[in-house]
Amino acid sequence: MIENYNIPFWIYLAVVSLFVGGAMKKILACHLSVGPTLVAWLGATVLVERLWVVCLPAMLLLVLLAAMGCIYSRSRTAQLPNLPAQGKAVFITGKRSDGGEGLSSLDLQGCATIGTLLESRGDKKSSAVAGGLWGLVNNAGVCVNFGEAELSLMSTFRGCMEVNFFGTVDVTKSFLPLVRQAKGRIVNISSPAGDQPFPCLAAYGASKAALNLFTETLRHELNPWGVRVSTILPSSYKTATSTNHAYWEQQHKLLLQSLSPALLEEYGEDYMTETKDLFHSFSEHANPDLSPVINTIVKALLSPQPQARYYAGPGIGLMYFIHSYCPFSISNRFLQKLFLKKSLVPRALRKQSGLDMNLGLHNNNNEEKLQQL
């Protein structure tokens, strides 16, 4: 369906078409300039040139029509009224302290929200089964690592995967019969870290990458049943866990105690402390207003034609555009400047850099002495 694509994709297609066409013309021109042995190619070259003159406007017209169709489809969808929310039971996972409380505003839309999973697993699940279920919002998630993959404990990788991926799979499989029967909605809250390599978030990002693939597969599998599945990718928001300094200090001490002396020496305690402080600063400056995410969840639940993916919060669309269409060097630098602005490098690299500098000065002095002789 054309509504699953966005305008930047068609712009990208047009640019690629122009680039490929220009490259073909240059290649043919190079072949013709080699010598008379390629005169036989002249007829084919003229034909390609003529086809290029005809195909280029046609391709640009196709891209223009596709973009117009995309805009028309989106505008038509926006004009359609939301689905009636009265009587629709929605189960929401996650802690109230990490946004679950704000999600109770779905009650104002007419949906009957059924608690949060991490606070009362058994009671809420039984009440959902008893009252029927139409929507499922997998909002539960944890981010417990703040360091390079080499420094992250295996328990950190397993913890992130257990909650962010296996927990979502478990809840979804438990409630799928009810959601299928109601031809309802499933909304999974993921993260851009599951699509883009954020520094020092390997464990968290890997769990969200697994969640993204599971959600996309589920979307295809449940489409014939009339169940719509969406992924929401929020920007950085302030939650109770992310701003709990005592918790992060405890995790930091545990990390220092668990590392081998050799690894601690190579990275340096000051390097890891700076990483922890940068995480604190990043979480402190995060957006405390969760309304963009909540409004997007409501849209994904009640829209007559929900999108496969939603970007919730400022800057997410730009981030994905840079990641998808810009050269790797640009997108990589953008992520580093956006997330953690580190001033230190690991201690071993600092020593190596100092050694290289001393060797360079020593070699320069030797060259000067040789020139004097």
Side-chain angles (χ1 to χ4, degrees):
M1 297 293 291
I2 193 171
E3 58 265 20
N4 292 333
Y5 298 90
N6 50 26
I7 296 176
F9 170 80
W10 302 108
I11 297 176
Y12 177 72
L13 179 62
V15 172
V16 170
S17 302
L18 290 173
F19 175 79
V20 172
M24 290 175 57
K25 292 178 67 176
K26 288 183 178 181
I27 292 173
L28 290 172
C30 290
H31 281 304
L32 287 176
S33 62
V34 171
T37 55
L38 294 176
V39 173
W41 289 87
L42 180 60
T45 303
V46 173
L47 178 61
V48 171
E49 290 281 353
R50 291 177 178 177
L51 287 175
W52 173 246
V53 172
V54 174
C55 290
L56 178 59
M59 186 172 295
L60 292 177
L61 180 61
L62 178 62
V63 171
L64 179 61
L65 290 175
M68 293 175 61
C70 181
I71 296 174
Y72 171 75
S73 176
R74 290 184 180 276
S75 62
R76 182 183 176 187
T77 303
Q79 294 174 358
L80 294 176
N82 285 341
L83 300 178
Q86 294 295 332
K88 287 182 169 60
V90 178
F91 188 86
I92 303 170
T93 71
K95 293 182 179 179
R96 291 188 182 274
S97 58
D98 283 341
E101 185 71 34
L103 293 178
S104 64
S105 63
L106 289 172
D107 291 330
L108 302 178
Q109 303 288 333
C111 293
T113 56
I114 310 176
T116 55
L117 178 70
L118 294 185
E119 292 183 356
S120 182
R121 180 184 291 266
D123 295 340
K124 300 303 180 182
K125 185 177 291 189
S126 61
S127 64
V129 173
L133 188 68
W134 182 82
L136 172 63
V137 179
N138 287 303
N139 178 57
V142 294
C143 178
V144 295
N145 73 297
F146 50 90
E148 282 82 347
E150 187 178 14
L151 299 177
S152 299
L153 305 177
M154 285 306 300
S155 59
T156 297
F157 282 92
R158 293 190 179 98
C160 286
M161 193 65 71
E162 184 64 36
V163 176
N164 299 341
F165 178 65
F166 289 114
T168 299
V169 173
D170 180 29
V171 173
T172 303
K173 286 176 63 65
S174 298
F175 290 142
L176 256 180
L178 293 173
V179 177
R180 278 195 298 103
Q181 191 174 26
K183 296 186 177 183
R185 301 289 168 85
I186 297 176
V187 179
N188 289 340
I189 313 299
S190 186
S191 168
D195 295 321
Q196 305 180 36
F198 281 83
C200 300
L201 284 181
Y204 177 73
S207 65
K208 289 298 187 178
L211 174 62
N212 289 346
L213 185 59
F214 171 72
T215 305
E216 288 297 310
T217 305
L218 202 65
R219 183 170 62 86
H220 289 288
E221 293 175 349
L222 295 180
N223 187 62
W225 295 88
V227 177
R228 299 294 178 258
V229 182
S230 298
T231 300
I232 293 180
L233 301 159
S235 58
S236 177
Y237 287 93
K238 186 179 295 186
T239 62
T241 302
S242 65
T243 56
N244 188 344
H245 285 193
Y247 170 79
W248 289 110
E249 290 292 342
Q250 179 184 4
Q251 293 295 316
H252 180 63
K253 291 180 180 179
L254 177 63
L255 176 62
L256 294 178
Q257 295 170 0
S258 304
L259 292 178
S260 65
L263 201 57
L264 184 60
E265 174 64 25
E266 288 186 334
Y267 276 90
E269 185 174 342
D270 57 345
Y271 175 81
M272 290 184 283
T273 300
E274 184 194 40
T275 303
K276 182 247 317 179
D277 293 339
L278 288 173
F279 264 84
H280 282 174
S281 176
F282 188 81
S283 61
E284 284 293 335
H285 291 86
N287 189 356
D289 181 16
L290 293 172
S291 59
V293 180
I294 297 171
N295 295 336
T296 305
I297 291 174
V298 173
K299 187 184 301 182
L301 285 173
L302 301 180
S303 174
Q305 295 180 1
Q307 301 176 22
R309 282 191 161 199
Y310 290 92
Y311 303 129
I316 296 296
L318 175 62
M319 182 190 304
Y320 270 87
F321 179 83
I322 293 176
H323 175 71
S324 302
Y325 303 122
C326 290
F328 174 77
S329 59
I330 296 178
S331 62
N332 188 50
R333 185 180 297 272
F334 176 78
L335 277 183
Q336 291 177 344
K337 297 296 183 181
L338 174 71
F339 189 46
L340 295 182
K341 302 177 182 179
K342 296 188 68 65
S343 60
L344 293 176
V345 296
R347 181 182 296 167
L349 295 180
R350 279 177 270 167
K351 291 181 178 180
Q352 181 180 345
S353 177
L355 179 62
D356 293 341
M357 185 178 296
N358 291 333
L359 288 175
L361 292 174
H362 180 71
N363 292 333
N364 290 336
N365 292 333
N366 289 338
E367 290 178 0
E368 291 177 359
K369 291 179 180 180
L370 289 174
Q371 290 176 358
Q372 292 175 359
L373 293 175

